[in-house]
Amino acid sequence: MATTAQPPTTPNDYSSVTKTLDLLAPRWSVWVLMTLSSQPLRYAEIKPRLPWLADGQLHPRLRHLTNAGVVERTEYAPRHVTYGLTGRGAELLPVLAVIASWGDTYLEKQLVTSKATGELEPERIPPAQNIDDTITLIAPRHATPILMTLQARGRASAKALATEAMPGYGLTAVYKPLDRLVADGLVTVTGSDDFQLSASGQALAPVFQAITTWAVLPSAGTDPLRRPGTAPSKTRSGTWATTPTRLPAPAIPAASSAGPALATTPPPDGPAWKSSDLFSHQIPARPITPAGGPRR
């Protein structure tokens, strides 16, 4: 039987987490944020660190993050412009570390042959890719409210989830996102046809807590995604993809891995990343998931 206890989360919590995931979801946005994590950079300094992005892809990512208030564009002269993290952007880095840690722990990895030992071992995935793949699982529409509702309730029927996580929608609308979450290994079906989180779904609690805490910081003002004083860029022309495809990136030449480390301040248990972590790995396509585990 589904539990009926009043959940501690609210629609506002769902909205805050969803808005933050919408900010991070456009492909390569996380990579841009982490590239700027150490210091402000000019466009010509960012581009070599993300060599697979064409000019038409990098500019929209910078504009998207600037409009969201996590990146600021500083113009010193007509041909001297830098991009760097705002205060809100810097506060987002520990949240990214929590997301990366979950992805590294729970997303499936292919086995590769170790060059040192010749034995099979799980492939090494860069933190930015772990973040991207995790967000791809939890950012689709209605996924966050369903997952957070199940975290609060323990288990719930489809009808209860439709009522609480998707108000205004009919009962049948809840089955498509539920089926996807089950296929991704984040939700399981009980013997009484209720739904509950899998072990990996339950482990998302620190991720949602970190995102919620960041989104509702008092310094964020009335808009949970923008701190006062970090006005968006005056340039608002152009569009960017909000639901980009997840195609493999081209292989990165060895020389592209060079460069200063990307300093962050992740939680003690979170991963620390540097330029070699970000760029030494070719972005994998997401294989079909084995039954019972979240897919990459």
Side-chain angles (χ1 to χ4, degrees), residues 58 120 145 203 245 269:
L58 179 54
L120 291 177
T245 57
D269 296 331

Side-chain angles (χ1 to χ4, degrees), residues 108-120:
E108 63 183 4
K109 301 181 181 72
Q110 297 180 358
L111 294 178
V112 296
T113 302
S114 170
K115 294 181 180 179
T117 65
E119 298 180 354
L120 291 177

Side-chain angles (χ1 to χ4, degrees), residues 130-143:
N130 280 321
I131 297 169
D132 260 359
D133 290 340
T134 300
I135 291 173
T136 299
L137 292 179
I138 64 178
R141 193 177 188 188
H142 305 307

Side-chain angles (χ1 to χ4, degrees), residues 40-230:
L41 298 171
R42 300 177 69 167
Y43 182 92
E45 296 171 318
I46 301 171
K47 190 66 178 68
R49 290 167 168 80
L50 302 171
W52 57 84
L53 287 184
D55 289 347
Q57 294 177 303
L58 179 54
H59 273 303
R61 297 305 176 274
L62 289 168
R63 185 165 57 246
H64 164 68
L65 296 170
T66 299
N67 289 345
V70 294
V71 168
E72 58 184 351
R73 178 183 184 274
T74 304
E75 184 173 341
Y76 297 95
R79 300 180 69 87
H80 186 184
V81 176
T82 63
Y83 296 89
L85 297 185
T86 63
R88 287 290 282 158
E91 290 166 350
L92 188 56
L93 293 178
V95 179
L96 297 182
V98 174
I99 301 174
S101 180
W102 184 92
D104 186 58
T105 302
Y106 291 98
L107 290 179
E108 63 183 4
K109 301 181 181 72
Q110 297 180 358
L111 294 178
V112 296
T113 302
S114 170
K115 294 181 180 179
T117 65
E119 298 180 354
L120 291 177
E121 61 181 24
E123 65 178 332
R124 178 174 175 273
I125 306 295
Q129 187 60 43
N130 280 321
I131 297 169
D132 260 359
D133 290 340
T134 300
I135 291 173
T136 299
L137 292 179
I138 64 178
R141 193 177 188 188
H142 305 307
T144 291
I146 290 173
L147 290 170
M148 293 180 71
T149 298
L150 287 174
Q151 283 183 347
R153 287 180 169 271
R155 65 170 60 184
S157 66
K159 182 177 180 180
L161 289 171
T163 300
E164 186 170 324
M166 299 174 58
Y169 290 82
L171 173 61
T172 56
V174 78
Y175 287 106
K176 184 175 181 179
L178 268 175
D179 288 344
R180 184 185 55 75
L181 291 170
V182 170
D184 285 341
L186 299 176
V187 172
T188 61
V189 184
T190 70
S192 57
D193 291 332
D194 285 343
F195 295 88
Q196 64 183 18
L197 295 177
S198 65
S200 56
Q202 293 172 357
L204 281 168
V207 171
F208 289 134
Q209 180 59 51
I211 295 174
T212 301
T213 300
W214 178 85
V216 299
L217 283 173
S219 58
T222 56
D223 185 342
L225 293 182
R226 186 165 296 150
R227 174 195 290 275
T230 55

